[in-house]
Amino acid sequence: MSFPGRYLPGLALVAAAAAALWQSVPRIDEDFRFTAAATEVSFWQRGGYRPDPATIGRTIAEAERLVADRPAHPDYLALAADAWVWGGYYEPDRGTALVRVGRGLGLQQASLALRPASLAASRSLERYAVMAGREDVAAGAIAHLAQLRRGLN
């Protein structure tokens, strides 16, 4: 084997590794953005912490950007649902709150459609449907949970 030919397999391996790394960089950024928004929203669900309206707006916007980047990602949809619903919980205007909860309900339904065996997604859908006053959706979520539980036993 000639001198340059000896190094071709190694160069090809280095090129493939560099290409894989280059393609993963946007996903790493998404992971950081997702983690930051999910951490913020997790605090909204605890007593003693009240996010200010600007933080709620920024977090909802970030969650929506993640969904826009990857609309079929169930975790991004669930995060956006959580952000909208909890943003509605802290909204003083009842009309605006119901709009936010309604948007969150739709996102949670989309998340559950992509991951139908998720107990957590089903529980969230039920809770959000009750908050939105959508007893029909809540009843469907309860039936879905019962079916999932029967399948687990």
Side-chain angles (χ1 to χ4, degrees):
M1 187 177 277
S2 68
F3 174 74
R6 217 167 61 181
Y7 295 104
L8 283 180
L11 288 174
L13 183 61
V14 168
L21 179 62
W22 182 256
Q23 288 183 342
S24 70
V25 168
R27 298 282 192 240
I28 292 169
D29 177 59
E30 281 180 10
D31 287 344
F32 283 130
R33 291 170 39 216
F34 172 78
T35 301
T39 300
E40 177 61 36
V41 172
S42 73
F43 284 108
W44 298 359
Q45 302 170 37
R46 298 182 180 159
Y49 178 76
R50 185 172 181 85
D52 61 75
T55 299
I56 292 171
R58 280 192 310 273
T59 305
I60 289 173
E62 184 60 52
E64 284 289 344
R65 278 191 292 277
L66 287 164
V67 169
D69 290 346
R70 297 188 55 201
H73 195 299
D75 292 333
Y76 293 177
L77 289 163
L79 168 63
D82 288 345
W84 278 103
V85 168
W86 284 100
Y89 176 80
Y90 287 109
E91 173 58 48
D93 178 68
R94 177 125 171 92
T96 303
L98 287 175
V99 168
R100 285 184 172 183
V101 172
R103 171 74 176 137
L105 180 63
L107 289 161
Q108 189 61 39
Q109 287 173 307
S111 176
L112 182 60
L114 292 168
R115 198 178 280 160
S118 171
L119 285 170
S122 297
R123 281 191 213 105
S124 291
L125 181 61
E126 176 196 0
R127 185 174 62 231
Y128 298 164
V130 169
M131 290 174 76
R134 294 289 310 274
E135 297 303 322
D136 57 326
V137 176
I142 291 168
H144 185 76
L145 276 165
Q147 184 180 13
L148 286 174
R149 288 187 179 115
R150 278 194 300 276
L152 293 175
N153 294 327

